[in-house]
Amino acid sequence: MKKRADLHGRSLAASEQRSPTSSAPIRVNGVDASTDFSASITIREPQLAHKVPSPHSSWWGRPSKDHFVSASGVIGYSYKDIQKATQNFTTTVGQGSFGVVYKAVLNSGDTYAVKVLASDSRQGEKEFQTEVCLLGRLHHRNLVNLIGYCVDRGQRMLIYEFMSNGSLANLLYNNDAIILSWEDRVQIALDISHGIEYLHEGAVPPVIHRDLKSANILLDLSMRAKVADFGLSKEDAFDEHNSGLKGTYGYIDPVYIATNRFTTKSDIYSFGVIIFELITGIHPHQNLMEYINLAAMSSDGVDEIIDEKLAGKCEIQEVRELAKIGHRCLHKFQRKRPTIGEVSQGILKIRQRRHVRQDTMSTQASFSRVLSRIQSQHIELSRIASMKEGDP
Ligand SMILES: Nc1ncnc2c1ncn2[C@@H]1O[C@H](COP(=O)(O)OP(=O)(O)OP(=O)(O)O)[C@@H](O)[C@H]1O
C-alpha cells in the first residue's frame, strides 16, 4: 500500500507569503506542498509565460500563434490541440495516482505522452506555470523531459517525451515477452544513476527526487532508461493513513521515517532498492528487503537471489559487484551511503572490467589461433624435412 503525502507541514499561505523572486515552490495538486529545491530560484512571476508567436509552429501540426512559450522553452497548448492529438482522450497508456497518461500523436507523426492531472487542484494557474517553467529547465538524456503543458477548460496537463517501452516495473513484473538481459540491467542502472547525478549534482539548484521507484523509471525504444516524475511535489490522493511521509512504501529511507528529514541520501536509498529489483526481479512489496538482508550475510550471498530469468546468462562477478553497490546505498547510516557520483563510477567500473575481460579473452583467443597455426606449420615443416631425408 502506498504512503505518499507531503512531508513538511508548510502551509500554502506560508509559501504564498514568499516574495515572487524568492525560492519558488514546486507543486502540483498540492495544498501543503514543499519544495524539493534546496536553494532559491529567481523567477519573476509576471514574466513566466509570454503569449508569443511560437517558433515551433508545427509542434501540433498547425501554426501556434496562440501558444504560450515559457521562459524555459516549455510550450503551452490548448485543450483542443491535445484533444485532437489523443483522439479525444482515447489513447490511454497508463494510469498513475494523479491521473491518466495518454499517447499523443501529432500531425507531424511525433509522439508524446500527456499526463492529465486531477482536476481538483487548488494550485493557481500562475503557480502551475512556475512549476512548469522550473521543470522545463531540467534537461538531461536520462530524464523524461517535459515538452509542454496545458491549462485550459479547468484541466492541467503535462506533455512529456514518449517512452515506448513503458516503465521498468512493467518490464520486470508484467511483461513475459521482453526479458531484460544482464547487460541491459547494468546499462539501466547506469542510466538511472546518470539521471539522478544530474538532479543532485548538475542542476542548479539541486533537485531531490523523493519518489524514486521502478515505476518512475521509463524506457525508450532502445531500452535506455530515463528518470520520470522528478521535481513534482504531489499530494497523494490515496494517502489513507496520512503518515506525513512522501514516497512509496518499500522505497522509503528508514532514516527519513525516523527524522522527517529528506536528503539526497534518501534518494540513494531508494536507488539501492531499484538496484536489487534489477538483480532479483522481486518487487519491494514482495519481501525484497528480507532477500537483500539474506544476501548481505556473505560475499556470495547474492548468488542465491539472482532473478531466475538470468540463470546462466550473467557474469556472477558483475552481479556481486552491483549488489555491493546496492548494499552501500542501503546502509543504515546516511553518511556511509555513497554519493550518486560514486555510484555512477562504481557501475561504470563494472562495465569497464567487463570490456577488459572481453579484450583479454579475445587476445587469448587470437593468441591460441596463432599458436595452433605455428604448430601446424611445424608439423608441416617436419613432414617436408622427413620426406627430404628419405630422398635417394
Ligand atoms: N512519458 C511517458 N511515456 C510513455 N508512457 C508513460 C509516460 N509517462 C507515464 N507513462 C505510463 O503511464 C503510467 C502511469 O504513469 P504515472 O507517472 O502517472 O504514474 P506512476 O509513476 O506509475 O505512479 P504514481 O503516480 O503513483 O507515481 C506509467 O507506468 C507508464 O506506463
Side-chain angles (χ1 to χ4, degrees):
M1 189 182 312
K2 285 179 183 174
K3 285 184 184 176
R4 297 174 44 145
D6 289 326
L7 153 66
H8 310 290
R10 236 179 272 161
S11 68
L12 177 61
S15 67
E16 280 173 342
Q17 279 163 15
R18 290 192 196 112
S19 106
T21 57
S22 71
S23 179
I26 303 299
R27 297 193 281 128
V28 162
N29 287 343
V31 182
D32 174 28
S34 61
T35 173
D36 290 339
F37 293 163
S38 60
S40 68
I41 297 169
T42 308
I43 288 179
R44 277 179 297 260
E45 277 202 32
Q47 291 171 10
L48 275 178
H50 309 278
K51 203 168 189 181
V52 294
S54 167
H56 311 265
S57 59
S58 60
W59 197 77
W60 289 104
R62 67 173 178 75
S64 56
K65 62 179 162 42
D66 294 333
H67 294 170
F68 286 89
V69 181
S70 78
S72 53
V74 179
I75 306 167
Y77 289 92
S78 72
Y79 184 90
K80 265 176 86 178
D81 288 332
I82 295 176
Q83 189 176 31
K84 185 175 170 211
T86 58
Q87 295 168 34
N88 199 19
F89 300 97
T90 57
T91 53
T92 307
V93 288
Q95 164 92 55
S97 37
F98 301 96
V100 182
V101 180
Y102 299 95
K103 183 175 180 175
V105 183
L106 318 180
N107 287 346
S108 64
D110 291 333
T111 306
Y112 293 89
V114 174
K115 190 180 276 192
V116 180
L117 304 171
S119 55
D120 58 349
S121 170
R122 276 180 270 173
Q123 184 185 37
E125 187 169 323
K126 278 256 161 61
E127 290 158 335
F128 180 72
Q129 284 174 345
T130 305
E131 169 149 353
V132 164
C133 189
L134 293 171
L135 292 182
R137 288 176 180 198
L138 301 171
H139 286 291
H140 188 269
R141 66 176 183 284
N142 297 116
L143 296 183
V144 179
N145 288 310
L146 182 70
I147 310 290
Y149 71 101
C150 167
V151 192
D152 199 0
R153 300 197 196 174
Q155 296 274 358
R156 270 139 211 227
M157 306 180 206
L158 293 170
I159 296 131
Y160 291 97
E161 60 180 306
F162 188 74
M163 302 293 288
S164 49
N165 270 311
S167 74
L168 176 61
N170 260 329
L171 282 170
L172 284 176
Y173 311 117
N174 304 321
N175 192 328
D176 290 332
I178 301 176
I179 292 173
L180 291 172
S181 70
W182 174 249
E183 289 72 20
D184 284 338
R185 297 180 199 215
V186 173
Q187 182 61 58
I188 289 168
L190 191 58
D191 287 339
I192 301 170
S193 76
H194 283 152
I196 304 170
E197 198 171 341
Y198 172 78
L199 293 176
H200 286 188
E201 297 174 5
V204 181
V207 176
I208 303 176
H209 190 291
R210 301 173 70 117
D211 197 15
L212 284 170
K213 55 179 175 178
S214 53
N216 276 340
I217 306 301
L218 300 180
L219 292 110
D220 69 11
L221 198 57
S222 27
M223 284 299 171
R224 298 304 295 263
K226 301 190 187 208
V227 177
D229 265 4
F230 49 88
L232 295 181
S233 155
K234 301 173 289 188
E235 209 182 11
D236 192 335
F238 304 128
D239 181 29
E240 294 164 43
H241 303 289
N242 194 14
S243 63
L245 294 171
K246 189 183 188 304
T248 300
Y249 177 74
Y251 296 87
I252 307 179
D253 173 13
V255 176
Y256 163 58
I257 296 176
T259 62
N260 246 11
R261 269 194 64 238
F262 206 103
T263 69
T264 51
K265 294 295 180 81
S266 309
D267 273 354
I268 297 290
Y269 181 93
S270 310
F271 184 35
V273 176
I274 298 175
I275 285 180
F276 278 103
E277 288 186 81
L278 286 166
I279 292 174
T280 63
I282 299 172
H283 194 278
H285 294 178
Q286 293 167 330
N287 300 330
L288 174 59
M289 202 42 79
E290 282 173 29
Y291 290 99
I292 296 173
N293 291 337
L294 217 68
M297 292 170 91
S298 64
S299 60
D300 58 358
V302 71
D303 303 8
E304 306 300 317
I305 63 166
I306 297 174
D307 189 345
E308 55 192 24
K309 290 178 192 153
L310 295 173
K313 295 179 195 148
C314 59
E315 182 65 49
I316 199 72
Q317 197 50 38
E318 288 190 15
V319 182
R320 289 178 192 166
E321 284 167 20
L322 190 63
K324 210 166 152 190
I325 296 172
H327 283 304
R328 289 182 60 215
C329 292
L330 295 171
H331 201 286
K332 63 178 176 175
F333 297 125
Q334 287 189 340
R335 68 187 147 77
K336 296 255 181 164
R337 294 176 198 158
T339 63
I340 193 63
E342 290 165 341
V343 173
S344 298
Q345 284 307 312
I347 302 174
L348 264 174
K349 273 191 193 139
I350 294 178
R351 276 222 328 217
Q352 279 162 358
R353 280 195 278 266
R354 179 193 304 161
H355 292 149
V356 170
R357 258 198 322 275
Q358 284 168 347
D359 285 352
T360 315
M361 272 159 60
S362 78
T363 312
Q364 277 170 351
S366 39
F367 183 70
S368 29
R369 269 199 304 278
V370 172
L371 207 67
S372 77
R373 216 176 307 140
I374 292 172
Q375 279 168 347
S376 8
Q377 278 170 357
H378 264 286
I379 295 168
E380 184 61 13
L381 282 173
S382 353
R383 199 181 60 81
I384 294 170
S386 63
M387 276 168 60
K388 279 193 176 154
E389 275 168 17
D391 279 353

